[in-house]
Amino acid sequence: MGLEPENTLRSFVAAQQAGLDVIELDLHLSKDGALVVMHDTDVDRTTDGTGPIAEKTLAELRALDAGRGERVPVFEEVLDAVRSPLQAEIKDMQAARALAEVMLRRDLVARVEVSSFHDEAIAEISRLVPGVRTALIASRYGTDIVDRAVEAGAATVCLNIRRITLEVVEAARKADLRIIGWVVNTQDHLRLVRALQLDGATTDYPEIKRTARFTA
């Protein structure tokens, strides 16, 4: 998030207060199996620590400063801190299974959409959580992303706004897929979202809510 330390409780509360429609977050598993919220596979960029998340216990991760004194949150803390709908990005099959357990236990199908760059993770969460809404993310892609999304059972494609084309949009529409653009932080990209009539966009800056409806 552009205004607060990313993937922290502070940033999620700020996004909710800004009135954004959906809050996006990223999930990894700690060494001891906790579902923690962080974008990168390691802690170097966003905390005062170093090393892979998967090689640290939850206690070790919680001891890090994630910015302005914030701790690395676990997924269920975010669920309790905000009431907004969430889009949870999973990085692998293990995270998919851990998230499925939480979603089933807390009955989150209506509140949490699950996204991933990995087709197999989308297919796995769909198998484990009946009725879950899923989105396939792509950075470099062509019209093949539509076939991949349909095969994985995704209802939405989240597409790098810098590479989006009318051809891809039309193919997704024909397949009845929703289309979200990311990351929309400039007026030029905002105009493109509107021109292509996308279903939404992801942004790092909640104030853009003044001109459109976005996730953060």
Side-chain angles (χ1 to χ4, degrees):
M1 187 170 172
L3 302 179
E4 299 287 355
E6 68 177 67
N7 275 306
T8 61
L9 291 182
R10 183 178 181 135
S11 70
F12 300 134
V13 170
Q16 177 172 264
Q17 291 174 342
L20 291 159
D21 302 306
V22 181
I23 297 173
E24 192 267 350
L25 52 81
D26 307 277
L27 299 176
H28 290 272
L29 286 182
S30 67
K31 183 178 181 179
D32 47 352
L35 203 57
V36 296
V37 182
M38 189 176 291
H39 180 274
D40 301 350
T41 58
D42 59 56
V43 303
D44 299 52
R45 181 177 64 85
T46 57
T47 79
D48 59 350
T50 59
I53 297 169
E55 295 180 5
K56 297 183 182 296
T57 65
L58 178 59
E60 290 170 331
L61 291 167
R62 300 284 268 180
L64 302 176
D65 185 342
R68 302 185 189 180
E70 289 287 297
R71 297 186 303 177
V72 176
V74 296
F75 178 55
E76 294 199 58
E77 280 184 309
V78 180
L79 292 171
D80 295 335
V82 299
R83 296 298 177 217
S84 301
L86 301 175
Q87 185 186 83
E89 181 185 336
I90 48 178
K91 307 297 185 177
D92 53 37
M93 297 283 277
Q94 289 73 29
R97 291 164 186 152
L99 177 57
E101 188 278 324
V102 177
M103 291 188 68
L104 292 171
R105 173 164 47 83
R106 297 189 56 155
D107 191 21
L108 297 174
V109 171
R111 183 180 174 196
V112 177
E113 180 181 42
V114 181
S115 64
S116 183
F117 279 92
H118 305 291
D119 308 41
E120 65 276 12
I122 291 295
E124 180 71 356
I125 194 81
S126 297
R127 182 183 70 82
L128 295 171
V129 184
V132 66
R133 292 168 294 120
T134 58
L136 183 62
I137 313 171
S139 179
R140 296 179 177 273
Y141 56 87
T143 54
D144 62 298
I145 189 63
V146 173
D147 294 332
R148 288 174 51 200
V150 170
E151 184 174 352
T156 300
V157 285
C158 298
L159 304 178
N160 183 349
I161 195 69
R162 296 177 181 273
R163 299 182 65 87
I164 201 164
T165 65
L166 181 59
E167 181 184 19
V168 171
V169 171
E170 289 178 340
R173 293 293 183 216
K174 288 179 181 177
D176 293 324
L177 295 173
R178 295 177 68 250
I179 309 165
I180 303 296
W182 63 269
V183 175
V184 176
N185 289 338
T186 70
Q187 288 300 312
D188 284 344
H189 287 156
L190 177 57
R191 282 189 284 270
L192 181 58
V193 168
R194 288 173 163 168
L196 293 174
Q197 297 183 335
L198 304 189
D199 297 287
T202 300
T203 183
D204 293 320
Y205 297 99
E207 64 268 24
I208 208 167
K209 171 73 173 180
R210 294 194 303 268
T211 51
R213 298 175 68 83
F214 290 128
T215 64

